[in-house]
Amino acid sequence: FTEKRIMTRFIREFELGDLEVCVQQDTSAGHCGTVWDSSLVLGGYFKRLHERMPKYISQKKFVELGCGPGLVSCVLNKLGAHTIATDIDEKALELCKLSSQLSRAAVNTQQYSWGASTDCDIFTDADVLVAADVAYDIESAKMLLKTVDESTAAAEANGKTQLFIFAHELRKKEEEEFFQSLRQLFHFQFVGESSLYEEYSSPDIRVFVVARKSCRFPDELLNF
């Protein structure tokens, strides 16, 4: 017989204008091992935001919830943000570390499970929580909302407005439950098409900016 080796690990290179990011992927790792389209759209949004209003990214602390191979965290770090990439899967964290090295970034990786306590260094003084395509499993999404709720509430108690910015591609009607739960706690709006990076945009994928109802909503992040 003839033995066939299937290559599961490969590097993808992405260019966002003058920004280059290399991502180590591994299809054998499942969902967490590849770059999802929503990550590309979210990364492109942050590149555009930095071009227009760099103060919202430079020297700010971002925490990615469910980093996968780390595209978004690498983009943010190369734009000048202090970035902590979190995931429950050790394989994802390994890939993210490799992506950070390949991209000449300095992303900090930490294992974190949605729904666990946010009273830890990961979330201390965080300015923005970010995520991409994280609502496809409603039970996991409930735990994600618990994390976002607790972290943003703790920040508000300390006089700080912490935002949650995420990209999502709506696929199943059941995912609407996630947005219904989100609406109970937060005010949110989706970003206008003109604020997305043209090369990495899709009519099926939206970027949402989320803030607690008791905090000022940053309308300036929606259309620029």
Side-chain angles (χ1 to χ4, degrees):
F1 65 94
T2 301
E3 181 181 1
K4 292 184 179 180
R5 290 190 176 185
I6 300 176
M7 303 299 292
T8 63
R9 294 175 71 95
F10 56 96
I11 297 170
R12 288 183 67 185
E13 298 181 359
F14 301 93
E15 292 187 0
L16 292 160
D18 58 350
L19 186 71
E20 295 183 1
V21 173
C22 298
V23 179
Q24 177 70 64
Q25 297 190 114
D26 187 347
T27 56
S28 69
H31 290 315
C32 73
T34 57
V35 173
W36 289 38
D37 290 343
S38 290
S39 296
L40 292 170
V41 175
L42 187 58
Y45 166 72
F46 285 129
K47 179 64 166 65
R48 287 272 291 153
L49 178 61
H50 184 264
E51 291 172 350
R52 299 299 179 89
M53 294 179 281
K55 67 178 183 179
Y56 283 102
I57 294 181
S58 298
Q59 302 304 309
K60 299 294 185 181
K61 180 178 177 179
F62 284 74
V63 177
E64 185 173 9
L65 301 170
C67 64
L71 172 68
V72 176
S73 286
C74 286
V75 168
L76 283 166
N77 184 255
K78 296 199 72 172
L79 291 174
H82 302 294
T83 313
I84 298 180
T86 72
D87 207 290
I88 189 175
D89 197 309
E90 292 183 356
K91 291 181 179 179
L93 296 176
E94 176 194 349
L95 293 172
C96 185
K97 289 178 182 178
L98 291 172
S99 297
S100 180
Q101 294 170 6
L102 291 168
S103 301
R104 297 183 180 180
V107 175
N108 183 2
T109 58
Q110 298 283 339
Q111 190 169 36
Y112 176 77
S113 176
W114 298 343
S117 174
T118 59
D119 185 17
C120 58
D121 291 341
I122 292 174
F123 298 92
T124 301
D125 295 325
D127 295 287
V128 186
L129 310 179
V130 301
D133 243 336
V134 290
Y136 58 87
D137 181 271
I138 191 59
E139 293 305 316
S140 295
K142 289 178 181 178
M143 293 296 98
L144 171 66
L145 280 182
K146 180 176 183 292
T147 289
V148 174
D149 182 30
E150 290 184 2
S151 183
T152 55
E156 183 183 15
N158 290 320
K160 186 183 185 74
T161 296
Q162 185 183 85
L163 301 176
F164 175 42
I165 300 179
F166 72 99
H168 178 69
E169 180 177 2
L170 190 62
R171 302 180 183 85
K172 299 182 294 185
K173 187 175 181 180
E174 292 79 3
E175 294 175 5
E176 295 176 2
E177 183 180 340
F178 170 79
F179 288 93
Q180 292 173 359
S181 299
L182 188 69
R183 190 171 290 109
Q184 293 176 4
L185 300 168
F186 302 94
H187 175 53
F188 65 93
Q189 296 285 342
F190 62 85
V191 171
E193 290 185 14
S194 63
S195 300
L196 301 178
Y197 201 83
E198 185 176 359
E199 185 176 352
Y200 296 121
S201 63
S202 167
D204 300 321
I205 300 173
R206 286 182 169 176
V207 175
F208 295 87
V209 177
V210 183
R212 296 191 72 82
K213 290 183 176 181
S214 51
C215 297
R216 185 190 78 83
F217 188 83
D219 292 293
E220 63 273 19
L221 300 185
L222 302 178
N223 295 284
F224 48 82

